[in-house]
Amino acid sequence: MKIKNLSVVFPFFNESLRVNECFKNIQNFNRKNKLINCEYVFVDDGSTDNTSNKIINFIKSQKKKKKKFKLIRLNKNSGKGEALKKGIRSCNNDWILTSDIDMSVSLIQLNIWFKKKDILENEKIYFGSRNLSQSKVIYKIHRKIIGFFFNLIINFLLGINLKDTQCGFKLYPKKIAKKIFSRLKEKGFAHDIEIVLLAKKLGFNIKELPVKWKHKNNGKINLIKDSLKIFWSLVKLKRQFNL
């Protein structure tokens, strides 16, 4: 199945050190996919640096490229889930891809999925998964260990048996994305888990696909502080979905 219309949503907070890599990736993707009608939506989650200014300048430089760009700016830092919710609300194209702005997974991953005919249905959600045997992953070992125990916890608490819920590279048919994110309540990093639970509740299937993923420095996650926040969010989600 070919995708003719695609919206890509990049949530971000203070990413001035890494955003240039995103610009290069977009340009490369556009060169390889000239027949796809692309829309790029950047959502500034209350940044205090000059990331948005860099994005504005990039958008100005792309005016002759016949691609659409949007920059949405939130007044305060609310969390990745909230930024994604605002971005997806503004998307117009038939398919919506969410991606981290650090390009730990390149947009070219979509081309690989297309080539291998991994995307065959427009009634499924497609999750990039770092834990499939076909995935090529460059990890820092502590993240691999934390991810292993996180998967055990969500399986035990919430009955989720996906191999990887936290990879930011996810592809949705627009109508499914709009239904899920209009109901999303979790604003922080645990939003990925609520997406899975909402998909199940609404009867949408998730298919995991392999990715080429590389750890990028200057991330925003504090492993101790944010792990505690996420664990408490999981407890709240268990109550919310009566699990």
Side-chain angles (χ1 to χ4, degrees), residues 2-241:
K2 292 184 178 180
I3 290 178
K4 296 181 180 179
N5 297 282
L6 176 70
S7 296
V8 185
V9 181
F10 298 104
F12 68 90
F13 174 70
N14 289 348
E15 289 287 0
S16 62
L17 295 177
R18 305 195 288 184
V19 71
N20 288 338
E21 183 64 28
C22 179
F23 300 154
K24 294 176 185 177
N25 208 276
I26 288 172
Q27 291 172 313
N28 187 32
F29 183 76
N30 288 341
R31 282 193 295 269
K32 294 179 182 294
N33 298 279
K34 293 181 179 179
L35 298 181
I36 297 180
N37 176 27
C38 290
E39 169 189 56
Y40 297 95
V41 181
F42 296 91
V43 187
D44 184 346
D45 188 22
S47 295
T48 56
D49 66 0
N50 68 337
T51 313
S52 281
N53 289 335
K54 287 187 173 184
I55 290 171
I56 289 169
N57 291 331
F58 173 71
I59 291 173
K60 288 178 180 177
S61 74
Q62 300 298 301
K63 282 189 175 180
K64 296 181 181 180
K65 305 295 184 180
K66 296 182 180 179
K67 301 294 181 182
K68 295 180 181 179
F69 294 88
K70 296 179 184 178
L71 172 61
I72 299 170
R73 304 179 81 166
L74 307 186
N75 292 328
K76 63 179 182 178
N77 180 233
S78 301
K80 186 178 179 181
E82 184 68 10
L84 282 170
K85 186 173 184 176
K86 292 291 195 299
I88 285 174
R89 184 183 296 168
S90 76
C91 290
N92 297 310
N93 289 342
D94 296 335
W95 288 83
I96 299 175
L97 175 73
T98 64
S99 174
D100 293 333
I101 208 167
D102 67 358
M103 295 288 101
S104 49
V105 178
S106 169
L107 297 179
I108 299 301
Q109 183 67 59
L110 275 184
N111 292 63
I112 298 171
W113 288 355
F114 298 155
K115 186 177 181 179
K116 293 185 176 181
K117 297 182 180 180
D118 287 325
I119 302 168
L120 296 174
E121 299 178 47
N122 60 2
E123 297 295 332
K124 281 186 178 179
I125 304 167
Y126 297 90
F127 275 22
S129 177
R130 296 161 292 188
N131 296 328
L132 295 176
S133 59
Q134 309 98 308
S135 294
K136 298 178 181 179
V137 177
I138 300 176
Y139 268 115
K140 287 198 171 181
I141 189 63
H142 67 275
R143 289 192 63 138
K144 190 174 183 69
I145 293 170
I146 290 170
F148 173 77
F149 283 105
F150 182 77
N151 283 342
L152 287 180
I153 291 170
I154 63 172
N155 182 277
F156 175 74
L157 276 181
L158 305 172
I160 293 174
N161 58 7
L162 295 174
K163 292 182 179 295
D164 186 5
T165 59
Q166 302 308 109
C167 180
F169 201 83
K170 296 178 171 72
L171 181 67
Y172 306 81
K174 180 177 71 172
K175 63 180 181 180
I176 293 179
K178 298 278 188 180
K179 285 182 180 180
I180 288 177
F181 280 87
S182 66
R183 293 165 171 79
L184 190 75
K185 295 180 180 179
E186 177 58 47
K187 295 183 177 183
F189 287 106
H191 74 276
D192 295 284
I193 305 302
E194 188 179 3
I195 288 170
V196 175
L197 296 175
L198 284 169
K200 183 178 180 180
K201 182 178 180 180
L202 295 169
F204 300 128
N205 293 322
I206 295 171
K207 180 179 180 180
E208 293 187 273
L209 296 176
V211 291
K212 184 178 180 180
W213 187 94
K214 183 178 181 180
H215 171 79
K216 299 294 179 74
N217 292 324
N218 301 306
K220 300 297 182 297
I221 298 179
N222 181 304
L223 291 177
I224 298 176
K225 182 180 177 182
D226 289 322
S227 293
L228 293 172
K229 284 184 179 179
I230 291 174
F231 181 76
W232 176 239
S233 295
L234 296 182
V235 173
K236 290 193 294 183
L237 286 171
K238 184 176 177 65
R239 295 172 180 170
Q240 178 183 331
F241 286 87

